[in-house]
Amino acid sequence: MSEERGSLSVRAVRGSAIRDLLAVVEQPGVLSLAGGLPAPELLPTERTARAAQAALASPAALQYGVTAGAPPLREVVHARESTKLGRDAGTVVITHGSQQALSLLAQALLDPGDTVIVEDPGYIGALQAFDTTRARVVGVPLDAGGMRVDELRSILQRERVRIVHTVSNFHNPGGATLTEERRRELARLADEFGFWIVEDDPYGELRFAGPTVPPVAAFSDRVIRLSSASKIVAPGLRVGWMHGDAGVLALVERLKQGADLCGSSLTQAVTAELLADTVWLDGHVETIRSVYGERARALHTALTDAFGDRLRLTTPEGGMFLWGEFADGTATSANLGEAVDAGVAYVPGSAFAVQRDLAHSLRLCFTTSPPDELREAVRRLSTVL
């Protein structure tokens, strides 16, 4: 039977090279730096089990819920977000991970042909969400200070930009954090030109070095913040959220009714308890930061020792990824198969390219391997690259 062509929307969506790659590299003997998963040994199975047992004491945990999300969870998320902003503002919608939040926001705000600005390299999940609306996606270069906000004005003056999407903290894949100066300027531009900023922030609490930077939403009301419990608790809960303008979130809620009626009452009750238990959560997140910091430094040091000035690396301060660019023209896509044969995997930079040529770049994840394995992975990598 021949494969259906599908709708124009699905034909517009690019595939995820990372998802395709994971099926190849998960074989015995391969040390994978390609994924983007939390460390499995840090997932709080016992604490989550106790929260689930407590939730199941009420039949409501197994019943349909309201579309916007369970009120106790919305309340704790609103309190957390308001603390980060330094003011009480915005409303909350709970989503099936922050990826659903991206998808619903794209549908709520974009018409075919509208312009969306993203970082280049870009987060693949965001690119896929915007592709479904057949919007025009424009990439703005990323450097060590995050998105090159200085390049936005000329685009804004000639295009009808509806959304600027930024992974503001510890960018996936670029590893960079948007500086406070650039955050303030991005907020000023949103107020001047009337576009919406989607501040995608799943990694912000995973800082293990350097000072914390205020959210972009601290400087403008034209910001919708996205985050989730996936990186600080567990991705299997599939609990994400958006926080911001009530009018925009009302549009999202209407679309969500047609997407899934409501989220899981059980996992939302579990997540509400875990996020509200601040003594436990603070200690848990601090453990994650400590482990990830050690692993990030081990990987960065090993790469620097192995490749020297040939490989320009982001300096790890948090999150889950390092981004590297070879200065000597090494082609990371062409060498991937040989690397897997040598027992190590990474994601070529071209998988994240919007408009830039990223054929000499790569993304490396440090979260799921201890330092000794990371050093061995770099040794194998050096035999190929």
Side-chain angles (χ1 to χ4, degrees):
M1 181 181 295
S2 62
E3 183 178 334
E4 289 285 348
R5 288 174 57 208
S7 67
L8 290 173
S9 293
V10 75
R11 277 183 272 155
V13 179
R14 70 198 78 198
S16 171
I18 300 173
R19 289 283 165 180
D20 296 339
L21 178 62
L22 290 180
V24 176
V25 302
E26 290 199 358
Q27 47 186 288
V30 174
L31 297 176
S32 179
L33 306 177
L37 308 178
E41 71 274 18
L42 298 181
L43 296 176
T45 52
E46 292 183 6
R47 181 65 184 88
T48 303
R50 293 200 304 273
Q53 186 172 8
L56 288 168
S58 169
L62 299 180
Q63 188 57 277
Y64 288 114
V66 295
T67 301
L73 180 56
R74 296 206 313 271
E75 289 170 9
V76 71
V77 168
H78 179 76
R80 288 169 59 84
E81 289 294 326
S82 296
T83 298
K84 292 173 185 177
L85 299 185
R87 57 193 169 93
D88 188 350
T91 59
V92 173
V93 170
I94 305 299
T95 56
H96 191 74
S98 58
Q99 183 62 35
Q100 187 189 47
L102 268 173
S103 178
L104 293 173
L105 268 178
Q107 295 175 59
L109 296 176
L110 296 171
D111 288 319
D114 282 347
T115 298
V116 179
I117 293 176
V118 299
E119 288 126 342
D120 193 359
Y123 169 54
I124 289 178
L127 302 180
Q128 290 180 313
F130 298 140
D131 284 345
T132 62
T133 67
R134 286 174 279 161
R136 171 174 150 74
V137 179
V138 176
V140 171
L142 184 81
D143 65 16
M147 177 186 283
R148 288 285 306 277
V149 176
D150 58 304
E151 297 195 11
L152 285 182
R153 183 172 291 274
S154 62
I155 301 173
L156 295 167
Q157 289 172 337
R158 66 176 185 266
E159 303 220 25
R160 181 175 179 265
V161 174
R162 287 285 287 159
I163 289 176
V164 173
H165 174 267
T166 178
V167 183
S168 55
N169 293 309
F170 320 121
H171 186 269
N172 178 9
T177 293
L178 191 65
T179 66
E180 181 171 343
E181 179 183 1
R182 293 185 186 184
R183 293 174 190 231
R184 290 180 180 274
E185 178 60 17
L186 179 57
R188 283 193 291 267
L189 290 170
D191 292 338
E192 178 180 350
F193 287 92
F195 59 83
W196 289 100
I197 300 169
V198 176
E199 184 178 15
D200 206 347
D201 188 22
Y203 309 105
E205 295 190 50
L206 302 183
R207 175 176 288 280
F208 45 72
T212 300
V213 188
V216 181
F219 307 118
S220 173
D221 290 329
R222 297 196 64 83
V223 182
I224 309 297
R225 274 182 52 80
L226 311 184
S227 193
S228 80
S230 294
K231 308 305 186 294
I232 60 172
V233 182
L237 294 171
R238 303 313 301 136
V239 170
W241 53 82
M242 62 180 73
H243 178 265
D245 182 82
V248 172
L249 268 62
L251 299 177
V252 168
E253 186 176 349
R254 191 190 315 170
L255 286 168
K256 194 174 188 299
Q257 291 171 4
D260 65 1
L261 297 181
C262 63
S264 165
S265 297
L266 176 58
T267 60
Q268 290 185 21
V270 170
T271 305
E273 178 179 326
L274 296 178
L275 295 184
D277 186 354
T278 55
V279 173
W280 170 81
L281 183 63
D282 289 349
H284 175 65
V285 172
E286 186 54 43
T287 298
I288 296 173
R289 290 172 181 152
S290 176
V291 172
Y292 286 4
E294 180 187 23
R295 293 178 179 185
R297 290 186 289 272
L299 180 58
H300 190 275
T301 298
L303 289 165
T304 301
D305 291 344
F307 296 103
D309 293 339
R310 285 182 56 213
L311 183 62
R312 294 189 293 264
L313 289 166
T314 53
T315 301
E317 291 189 341
M320 301 171 67
F321 305 106
L322 294 185
W323 178 260
E325 297 185 3
F326 281 96
D328 60 357
T330 298
T332 55
S333 292
N335 288 289
L336 178 59
E338 190 179 349
V340 173
D341 289 342
V344 62
Y346 56 85
V347 184
S350 56
F352 307 96
V354 182
Q355 289 156 328
R356 296 171 63 193
D357 178 6
L358 299 174
H360 312 301
S361 305
L362 76 171
R363 189 196 76 174
L364 304 166
C365 178
F366 51 75
T367 56
T368 54
S369 299
D372 286 348
E373 282 189 9
L374 292 169
R375 286 187 280 267
E376 172 60 19
V378 172
R379 188 197 66 75
R380 297 179 187 183
L381 198 63
S382 67
T383 67
V384 177
L385 300 181

